[in-house]
Amino acid sequence: MRGTTHALRAACAAVVALAATGCGGSAGGSGDGAVLSSSWGDPQNPLEPANTNEVQGGKVLDMIFRGLKKYDPKTGAAQDMLAERIDTSDSQNFTITVKDGWTFSNGEKVTAKSFVDAWNYGASLRNNQRNAYFFGYIQGYDKVHPDSGSQSADTLSGLKVVDGRTFTVKLAQKFSGFPDTLGYPAFAPLPRAFFSDHTAWLAKPVGNGPYAVDSYTRGAQMSLRKWGGYPGPDKARNDGVDLRVYTDSDTAYTDLLSGNLDLVDDVPAYQLKNVRNDLGGRYISTPAGIIQTLAFPYYDKDWDRSGSEKVRKGLSMAINRRQITDTIFQKTRTPATDWTSPVLGADGGFQAGLCGDACDYNPAEAKKLVKEGGGLPGGQVRITYNADTGSHRMWVDAVCNSINNALGNDKACVGNPVGTFADFRNQITQHKMSGPFRAGWQMDYPLIQNFLQPLYYTGASSNDGKWSNKDFDRLVDQANAQTDTAKAVRTFQQAEEVVRDNMAAIPLWYQNGSAGYSERLSHVALNPFSVPVYNEIKVG
């Protein structure tokens, strides 16, 4: 391991809590041979389910929590997990029955109240949870999380505990897809310990999934161990996972090749030409519900002025997507022609070619549109990205070279690296972007709604650029109210056309999930969210 090895060893020497379970010289990162090690990055926020909306934290939540629904690791379909039944006659009022026999890893029973208390906490304005918006469908959200001023209620009026295993949900409007959203981690149940000793819970989160957190040292490692009392059907087939923090994906890949790491789920772009020779059948690449885009800071008036949509469209047409995906990504990416993902399928809302000529490489038209739109703000675009993976630097440089060539100006576009993913996300959420920035989206659940509403609806949780359009919002509201799935999908596609007409974000490419693993492992797979199915992996 080069520099990362030294950092981890220093942490092991200094932190007693990790000495027994979190460190070691073997590839498994533990004295237990059935524990595997995997590359990881520190999450942006503490691991509260309603406060995690990025990939690294999401990986952990998926290991330590189970919700009412779980997404099939092969198809992505929403399947009942803790939900025994979800009944509705009108797509607005739901009665949910929780399965019996489930507990948290501290022995507390999972009840209807475990869900209702968790959802009320997540929705409350005073708790400042990043995923609060996901509870916005529930009646009373405007009282507990108003757009301005203080909240006037502590709980959502649309949530009612009926008995130990039953609760009801009343939505503010019809939403036929609501049950399928309930596998998203924000909807996970929480134990009483979360509320009674919140500080202790944040230091060592307690969930109800197949793994339990053993220890965590930020910047070094999180150790998770199989929970023997887990009652679910998807029990861990290994004894645990050590998530090792890397700030450089190349170092992680090198550690994999040298036998110091078991699993990498972000193969560096410039290693893609070598990876099959390096790993053979231990390299996997599968389609995932991921799209990479360039987002814009609409809170900056330079990007929200009249005509700026022409500048954005011009920049889109200045990007040679096919050349970049073929040469840099070795065809593990596919040029995007809409704002969703092919994994949805046509019935699910994917519409190839929706972007039209705005996603075609056309240097002459690109230059013309940028000029007509008033030119680049400040004469230059700076694409901000996190630099802790070599993949982003390579494609950002390639995008800028393509833009510079198309516009005939070698200073029109430059990359603006930020050291770590956490710092990058902090700058975004603090609205410090002054130009386009990397905005990859990994679906939360397999619905077209998830590729549109969280990213582009006014005030939505992941609308980092603060784009707002009344026509888009109206169409999303109409789509959510449809009880017929096919009609809802068609209305969402109309909303997507508004995104297209305004070039709210520039779609770049759809992404495959890729991973490489050591000879110690078998049964390694990525789910449609591009996350390793850790509980299925066997060691030895």
Side-chain angles (χ1 to χ4, degrees), residues 22-40:
C23 303
S26 71
S30 168
D32 189 336
V35 173
L36 66 111
S37 57
S38 182
S39 61
W40 187 57

Side-chain angles (χ1 to χ4, degrees), residues 294-297 300 303 315 376-385 396 399-400 403-404 411-418 424 427 432-438:
L294 289 180
F296 293 87
D300 184 330
W303 288 104
L315 289 172
L376 302 176
Q380 184 183 66
V381 292
R382 293 166 56 85
I383 300 178
T384 302
Y385 64 97
V396 170
V399 165
C400 277
I403 291 173
N404 292 343
K411 296 181 180 179
C413 179
V414 295
N416 181 38
V418 174
F424 172 65
Q427 288 191 26
K432 293 183 177 180
M433 296 294 107
S434 58
F437 54 96
R438 183 185 78 80

Side-chain angles (χ1 to χ4, degrees), residues 217-273:
T217 296
R218 188 169 184 83
Q221 179 169 294
M222 175 175 283
S223 295
L224 299 108
R225 294 296 178 263
K226 177 180 179 178
W227 174 36
Y230 177 66
D234 54 337
K235 293 177 172 59
R237 302 170 75 181
N238 51 68
D239 289 338
V241 181
D242 287 336
L243 296 173
R244 294 181 177 174
V245 176
Y246 285 85
T247 57
D248 178 6
S249 59
D250 182 51
T251 303
Y253 186 75
T254 301
D255 281 353
L256 173 66
L257 297 184
S258 62
N260 290 318
L261 187 68
D262 286 319
L263 177 61
V264 168
D265 63 354
D266 181 20
V267 176
Y270 63 90
Q271 295 286 6
L272 291 172
K273 62 181 180 296

Side-chain angles (χ1 to χ4, degrees), residues 31 38 136 139 197-198 203 271 309 363 369 395 432 469 501 505:
S38 182
Q139 189 177 72
D197 193 343
H198 194 220
Q271 295 286 6
E309 72 281 355
L369 284 170
W395 71 254
K432 293 183 177 180
N469 184 284
D501 294 343

Side-chain angles (χ1 to χ4, degrees), residues 265-284:
D265 63 354
D266 181 20
V267 176
Y270 63 90
Q271 295 286 6
L272 291 172
K273 62 181 180 296
N274 305 316
V275 68
R276 295 188 189 279
N277 288 331
D278 290 342
L279 299 174
R282 291 182 286 110
Y283 168 67
I284 53 178

Side-chain angles (χ1 to χ4, degrees), residues 371-455:
K371 183 178 180 179
E372 288 178 356
L376 302 176
Q380 184 183 66
V381 292
R382 293 166 56 85
I383 300 178
T384 302
Y385 64 97
N386 55 300
D388 50 0
T389 166
S391 301
H392 296 323
R393 178 186 60 79
M394 289 184 69
W395 71 254
V396 170
D397 287 349
V399 165
C400 277
N401 286 337
S402 184
I403 291 173
N404 292 343
N405 290 335
L407 301 186
N409 177 359
D410 61 4
K411 296 181 180 179
C413 179
V414 295
N416 181 38
V418 174
T420 67
F421 177 76
D423 289 342
F424 172 65
R425 285 297 309 167
N426 285 333
Q427 288 191 26
I428 288 173
T429 54
Q430 292 167 15
H431 306 138
K432 293 183 177 180
M433 296 294 107
S434 58
F437 54 96
R438 183 185 78 80
W441 180 251
Q442 174 180 303
M443 67 180 182
D444 302 308
Y445 41 83
L447 296 176
I448 182 175
Q449 177 266 352
N450 187 240
F451 283 92
L452 299 176
Q453 186 165 358
L455 294 165

